[in-house]
């Protein structure tokens, strides 16, 4: 009798386990339906292989998530509470909460471009009224739990018939093949740089597709290229056709210097630039759009946040700034080291220019000498209005040319390490070299040329590229900006905060005569008046910082964040300022089609 009861108990548990697997599979299908909302936020695939990957990835990912939820929440309860009525009710509640959480995640993803995380949850909670409209947040959970209870009872009553169909192994095989295939396809896409597939990397929650790098490293194969985030969607850039009519057409020279810190422009390290700054319009609180060449230059030419940098549209769409200069009849010249061409964040960034590239095989400083010579030669034969972008790189690599006679070393900040002190003085030598190049360039440029000199990004004293990439301190992003306006009345200092995002609107409005509102093509506003925004976005879609008035919030792609004070000291137990951050996240989605 005892043995018979044990057998009945085992049979009941076995039946509950079979039911639980099918209930999990049913919820996987519901999750796929809800998850289709993610696709609209990033754009549908345009090729058959894009659709193939999306299909197998969707089936594999949501089936996997449903099974994991069952394994964690319901499977243990099958042994603790082996009573079908109780278990079905609990399962329906757990499934409803899980699907509602998934639905909420699709709303957050559509609005902020990231999945739920401690950061995103705090942000969404503060913005709850804007995210949840009408009574849908009440009706939808009630509808879902009704569906769950119906499905749970339907499957329980027919579990024996379903088992006789022997579909379990076929379903498991299908899901397994889809899950494995999605990772294999992504490895191929990552190795071949197929953005149609890799742009979907972060579309689903808890999705970590295998990359070529991880695959090769696990098999002992070295791959030095860094993974890129190709997240993309359909953008309206610009939002409206531009209406521009330039009254006068001054020549424009933009000199951008990699790794130029604002606090290092002094009368000892850069005497010429220091004097030039004092004699023209200088912006004393100016920030780059990033701490790397790719994000800094993107913000400078496109006037958009670095989070847009991986969008596919920018592989074929050049900046509205350079297009408008070209349409106005300007000759466009580009002068830069060859390695910086590969560091740009979008392939079309320099499409409107006629490039003259300097070889960097003998070092950045030697390439800069050739860059200056190339510009001087090009400039001497121009007979039409011109816009030139001249990029110098020596400070990025602490480089000076062979035989260069520099300046005396000075005592470095005692807080620096011995290695950093060496880099500090070598950096000063590089700045002094660049200062001489600036003097030589501007000596041959007429006074009626509009000249812009700025840093692409800042610099910290390290040779560790990963450390430099993750550091978003003021030293890495605060750069000088000086503008020489033709026929300017007197020099001036702008003391309110400005950023690279403001340069495009300034040139479009005051040089090219564009009448469109600046928000139609840029994230910035004219540099000649204070911005209403109290924040600046700095970085890309992988890691970025929000510079506010008295604090800096650094956030990674997974939503983890740290808050620093104005001196970049970590502030423990400090809550983020949600209203401003909500504005930031929405600005990063503003140009997307939904």
């Amino acid at each position: 009798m005892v043995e018979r009861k044990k057998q009945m108990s085992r049979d009941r548990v076995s039946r509950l386990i079979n039911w639980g697997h099918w209930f999990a599979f049913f919820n996987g299908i519901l999750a796929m339906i809800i998850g289709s909302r993610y696709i609209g936020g990033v754009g549908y695939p345009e090729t058959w292989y894009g659709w193939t990957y999306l299909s197998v990835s969707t089936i594999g990912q949501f089936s996997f998530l449903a099974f994991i939820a069952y394994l964690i929440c319901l499977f243990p309860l099958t042994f603790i509470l082996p009573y079908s009525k109780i278990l079905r009710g609990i399962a329906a509640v757990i499934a409803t909460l899980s699907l509602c959480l998934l639905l909420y995640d699709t709303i957050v993803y559509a609005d902020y471009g990231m999945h739920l995380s401690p950061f995103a949850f705090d942000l969404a909670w503060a913005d709850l009224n804007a995210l949840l409209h009408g009574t849908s947040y009440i009706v939808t959970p009630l509808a879902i739990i009704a569906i769950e209870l119906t499905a749970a009872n339907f499957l329980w009553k027919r579990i024996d018939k379903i088992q006789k169909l022997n579909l379990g192994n076929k379903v498991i095989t299908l899901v397994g093949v889809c899950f494995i295939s999605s990772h294999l396809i992504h490895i191929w896409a990552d190795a071949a740089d197929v953005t149609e597939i890799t742009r979907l990397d972060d579309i689903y929650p808890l999705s970590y597709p295998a990359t070529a790098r991880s695959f090769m490293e696990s098999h002992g194969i070295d791959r030095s290229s860094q993974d890129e985030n190709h997240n993309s969607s359909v953008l309206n850039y610009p939002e409206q056709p531009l209406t521009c009519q330039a009254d006068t057409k001054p020549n424009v020279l933009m000199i951008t210097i990699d790794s130029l810190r604002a606090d290092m422009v002094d009368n000892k390290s850069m005497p010429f630039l220091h004097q030039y700054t004092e004699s023209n319009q200088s912006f004393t609180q100016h920030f780059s759009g990033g701490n790397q060449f790719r994000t800094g230059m993107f913000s400078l030419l496109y006037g958009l946040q670095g989070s847009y940098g991986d969008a596919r549209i920018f592989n074929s769409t050049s900046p509205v700034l350079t297009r408008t200069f070209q349409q106005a009849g300007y000759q466009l010249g580009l002068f830069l080291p060859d390695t910086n061409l590969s560091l740009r964040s979008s392939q079309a960034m320099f499409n409107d220019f006629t490039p003259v590239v300097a070889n960097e095989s003998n070092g950045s400083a030697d390439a800069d000498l050739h860059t200056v010579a190339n510009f001087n030669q090009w400039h001497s034969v121009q007979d039409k209005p011109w816009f030139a972008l001249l990029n110098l790189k020596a400070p990025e690599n602490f480089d000076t040319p062979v035989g260069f006679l520099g300046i005396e070393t000075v005592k470095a900040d005692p807080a620096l390490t011995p290695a950093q002190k060496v880099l500090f003085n070598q950096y000063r030598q590089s700045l002094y070299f660049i200062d001489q190049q600036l003097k030589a360039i501007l000596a041959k440029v007429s006074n009626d040329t509009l000249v812009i000199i700025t840093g692409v990004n800042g610099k910290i004293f390290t040779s560790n590229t990963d450390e430099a990439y993750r550091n978003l301190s003021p030293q890495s992003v605060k750069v000088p900006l000086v503008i020489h306006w033709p026929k300017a009345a007197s020099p001036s200092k702008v003391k309110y905060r400005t950023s690279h995002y403001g340069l495009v609107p300034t040139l479009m409005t005051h040089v090219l005569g564009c009448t469109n509102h600046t928000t139609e093509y840029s994230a910035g506003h004219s540099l000649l008046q204070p911005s209403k925004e109290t924040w600046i976005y700095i970085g890309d879609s992988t890691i970025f910082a929000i510079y506010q008035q008295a604090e800096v919030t650094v956030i990674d792609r997974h939503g983890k964040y740290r808050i620093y004070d104005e001196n970049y000291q970590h502030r423990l137990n400090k809550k983020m300022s949600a209203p401003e951050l909500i504005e930031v996240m929405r600005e990063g989605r503003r140009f997307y089609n939904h």
Side-chain angles (χ1 to χ4, degrees), residues 150-345:
T150 302
N153 291 325
F154 179 87
L155 290 171
W156 177 253
K157 291 177 181 179
R158 292 163 178 79
I159 190 64
D160 294 329
K161 291 182 180 180
I162 295 174
Q163 286 300 107
K164 290 178 181 179
L165 296 175
N166 293 320
L167 294 175
N169 290 335
K170 295 177 183 178
V171 171
I172 292 173
T173 301
L174 173 65
V175 171
V177 168
C178 288
F179 186 78
I180 295 172
S181 297
S182 66
H183 285 276
L184 292 177
I185 293 172
H186 191 272
I187 289 172
W188 163 76
D190 181 63
D193 197 25
V194 182
T195 58
E196 176 76 355
I197 290 174
T198 55
R199 73 186 184 89
L200 303 172
D201 283 1
D202 299 324
I203 184 175
Y204 294 141
L206 302 177
S207 177
Y208 303 99
T211 62
R213 181 174 63 177
S214 63
F215 176 79
M216 292 178 180
E217 287 177 352
S218 67
H219 289 76
I221 304 172
D222 178 61
R223 182 175 183 253
S224 58
S225 62
Q226 183 180 2
D227 288 337
E228 300 282 348
N229 174 23
H230 298 287
N231 200 15
S232 178
S233 184
V234 180
L235 271 76
N236 282 330
Y237 173 78
E239 290 183 324
Q240 300 292 334
L242 299 179
T243 303
C244 305
Q245 182 62 51
D247 295 329
T248 59
K249 295 182 180 180
N251 296 327
V252 180
L253 172 61
M254 184 187 297
I255 304 176
T256 63
I257 303 166
D258 295 1
S259 303
L260 179 60
R261 285 173 52 153
D263 61 350
M264 297 293 287
V265 179
D266 55 45
N267 58 3
K268 291 185 178 179
S269 300
M270 303 190 79
F272 173 78
L273 181 57
H274 182 264
Q275 180 58 43
Y276 195 79
T277 299
E278 296 293 320
S279 305
N280 292 282
Q281 186 177 40
S282 63
F283 297 79
T284 60
Q285 299 295 320
H286 188 78
F287 291 81
S288 171
N291 63 346
Q292 305 289 311
F293 176 86
R294 61 193 305 272
T295 46
M297 189 61 76
F298 183 84
S299 64
L300 200 60
L301 290 182
Y302 282 97
L304 298 175
Q305 293 181 181
S307 57
Y308 288 106
D310 294 321
R312 285 180 302 165
I313 185 177
F314 296 122
N315 287 328
S316 57
T317 303
S318 58
V320 294
L321 175 69
T322 55
R323 273 186 279 159
T324 308
F325 266 118
Q326 196 174 58
Q327 291 164 4
Y330 275 74
Q331 296 291 324
L332 274 66
L334 173 67
F335 309 89
L336 80 171
D338 54 3
T339 55
N340 276 0
L341 277 177
S342 61
L343 294 176
R344 54 185 165 171
S345 60

Side-chain angles (χ1 to χ4, degrees), residues 509-542:
T509 303
H510 298 283
V511 178
L512 295 168
C514 298
T515 57
N516 297 67
H517 196 282
T518 59
T519 57
E520 294 179 3
Y521 55 83
S522 172
H525 304 277
S526 173
L527 295 168
L528 304 185
Q529 57 187 15
S531 174
K532 295 180 181 178
E533 278 83 16
T534 56
W535 50 266
I536 300 173
Y537 181 105
I538 297 173
D540 55 23
S541 56
T542 302

Side-chain angles (χ1 to χ4, degrees), residues 14-69:
S14 177
R15 194 165 186 263
L16 284 170
I17 289 174
N18 289 330
W19 167 84
H21 285 148
W22 284 107
F23 186 70
F25 179 66
F26 171 75
N27 276 280
I29 295 174
L30 289 184
M32 293 177 209
I33 296 172
I34 293 175
S36 63
R37 291 167 55 91
Y38 291 113
I39 305 172
V42 299
Y44 293 95
E46 299 174 354
T47 60
W48 66 268
Y49 52 83
W51 277 108
T52 300
Y53 172 76
L54 183 62
S55 300
V56 297
S57 175
T58 300
I59 295 171
Q61 179 66 11
F62 287 111
S63 298
F64 174 75
L65 290 178
F67 177 72
I68 291 298

